[in-house]
Amino acid sequence: MTGDAHHLLPSPEPVTLIGVDGQATGDPGHAVPDDTELVRGLAALITARRLNDQAYALVRQGRLAVYPSSHGQEACQVAAAQVLTGDDWLFPTYRDTVAAVGRGVDPVEALTLLKGDWHCGYDPYDHKVAPHATPLATQLPHAVGVAHAARLRGEPTVVMAMCGDGGTSEGDFHEALNFAAVLKAPVVFFVQNNEYAISVPLARQTAAPSLAHKGIGYGVPGERVDGNDLAALLAVLGAAVERARAGGGPQLIEAHTYRMQAHTNADDATRYRKDDEVAAWVERDPITRLERHLRERGLVDDEQLAGFAATAEQLAAHVRDGLHRDIEPDPAKLFDHIYAEPTPQLREQAALVADELDREGALR
């Protein structure tokens, strides 16, 4: 044994601070965040929902190639961004556009890759947001590397490394946890368990008691949290970030949430789940829950909510304007910026693509 295993165990039930009825539930280990943070979070949730719906509409209009919506998971997205400081890094997946925007990335830039361009659309260093990772979990070892480097330099950086439930079945997930634990890297691994890896239900991909339990084998403490309760997410993620910043090492957080829409526009979710299952999660909508709580406490009113909605609509208009502009991707750029000195294989592949494009051009 190299340490006490007891402290690694997650709570038996996900941490919840505000129930579905909007009432505070209380938790002995976590306090409800202050009112200012909750109101700020509600405004961000409303904007996030509008962004999700706008992006989904742009797919149907042919202005985006694909959009993996986080509709229903917005509380996870908002909290992940809200608990970080300017020194911290976010490593998002393809479904985490809202979290990247929460860190200050222009939504038009954040959606560039999903429009079909060859690059991610923004400078990762500007807002300390890594490019969206489409391959599952490949960004997690990179996140550990950034965190370890920051620790060696004596910087206060914490890295939020995001993935979905399907990503926890990938080898990169396990390698990242092991390295992070051994190196005591300041990383928060944040798993959004939305019940499905595309069409594969959770029970068909893991036999673990919970995804948070997967950290035990690597010496990484786990915690479970209600992923549709913004207050609980802010409390649990905020504590994990501060623990990492203080030198406590990595932590694995599993948020229990639900993808209310299809995996992407290329997916037909009615083939693997029933309407009543979705309806049960609609009742746990993170926006409805938090709004009810804040209204009953007199912290928001109709006028404020109208202001939040107007701000969200302005962002949607900005997205529409930005994505209606056509792009002309240059396939040759696919081979740039991979290595400082291209490998022989890369040069060979680039030549093959150039030759094919030349022959296509000759046929037109």
Side-chain angles (χ1 to χ4, degrees):
M1 296 282 287
T2 57
D4 176 16
H6 181 73
H7 80 285
L8 303 177
L9 288 170
S11 55
E13 297 296 330
V15 174
T16 300
L17 296 178
I18 297 175
V20 175
D21 59 0
Q23 300 298 311
T25 59
D27 181 273
H30 300 86
V32 176
D34 67 50
D35 296 341
T36 302
E37 287 299 296
L38 294 181
V39 173
R40 175 189 170 200
L42 178 60
L45 284 176
I46 291 170
T47 297
R49 177 65 53 84
R50 186 67 187 91
L51 173 58
N52 271 324
D53 293 347
Q54 181 61 72
Y56 213 72
L58 288 168
V59 172
R60 292 194 293 270
Q61 296 167 14
R63 307 312 300 176
L64 276 175
V66 66
Y67 184 68
S69 176
S70 61
H71 185 120
Q73 299 179 216
E74 290 94 343
C76 297
Q77 303 280 303
V78 168
Q82 195 163 320
V83 298
L84 298 179
T85 71
D87 293 320
D88 301 332
W89 272 83
L90 178 79
F91 277 69
T93 74
Y94 54 82
R95 199 179 299 285
D96 300 325
T97 297
V98 166
V101 172
R103 288 283 289 166
V105 178
D106 186 306
V108 175
E109 295 179 355
L111 292 167
T112 297
L113 186 68
L114 299 174
K115 185 174 173 61
D117 216 327
W118 63 272
H119 56 83
C120 76
Y122 54 89
D123 184 344
Y125 290 96
D126 280 351
H127 301 286
K128 293 185 169 60
V129 177
H132 292 74
T134 300
L136 295 185
T138 56
Q139 79 281 11
L140 301 182
H142 304 163
V144 175
V146 169
H148 181 52
R151 184 165 178 262
L152 291 176
R153 290 195 291 257
E155 298 170 351
T157 302
V158 173
V159 176
M160 181 73 68
M162 303 176 77
C163 76
D165 45 287
T168 69
S169 298
E170 296 288 332
D172 283 320
F173 171 83
H174 297 274
E175 292 158 7
L177 259 68
N178 189 54
F179 274 121
V182 171
L183 298 171
K184 276 194 166 297
V187 182
V188 177
F189 294 98
F190 183 31
V191 179
Q192 295 172 77
N193 173 8
N194 66 15
E195 300 288 333
Y196 290 91
I198 307 183
S199 59
V200 180
L202 188 67
R204 296 281 299 277
Q205 63 161 312
T206 181
S210 78
L211 300 179
H213 280 79
K214 291 190 175 186
I216 296 173
Y218 305 105
V220 176
E223 185 55 287
R224 304 170 66 201
V225 59
D226 185 330
N228 286 18
D229 176 3
L230 183 70
L233 285 159
L234 290 173
V236 170
L237 288 173
V241 166
E242 291 314 308
R243 177 181 177 278
R245 203 184 308 281
Q251 189 164 353
L252 172 61
I253 308 296
E254 176 189 7
H256 294 265
T257 184
Y258 194 77
R259 167 171 52 79
M260 292 187 191
Q261 295 182 337
H263 174 68
T264 67
N265 51 297
D267 174 42
D268 178 6
T270 62
R271 298 181 65 181
Y272 55 84
R273 66 184 191 186
K274 298 185 180 303
D275 290 344
D276 56 352
E277 178 183 312
V278 180
W281 279 91
V282 170
E283 294 179 2
R284 300 172 62 178
D285 190 299
I287 299 177
T288 306
R289 183 191 300 197
L290 183 58
E291 180 184 328
R292 187 176 294 155
H293 176 78
L294 296 177
R295 273 186 181 276
E296 291 185 2
R297 293 182 55 210
L299 295 173
V300 295
D301 55 25
D302 288 344
E303 184 178 357
Q304 283 175 286
L305 291 170
F308 296 160
T311 300
E313 194 54 48
Q314 289 174 1
L315 180 135
H318 172 68
V319 170
R320 288 194 301 273
D321 292 343
L323 293 176
H324 274 121
R325 288 192 288 272
D326 289 329
I327 58 173
E328 295 184 9
D330 180 358
K333 294 288 186 183
L334 285 170
F335 304 96
D336 292 346
H337 311 299
I338 298 175
Y339 294 102
E341 181 63 32
T343 63
Q345 292 82 5
L346 269 181
R347 283 195 288 268
E348 180 182 354
Q349 293 166 20
L352 286 171
V353 169
D355 178 64
E356 187 166 339
L357 291 174
D358 286 344
R359 284 188 283 114
E360 279 189 6
L363 294 174
R364 290 175 183 167

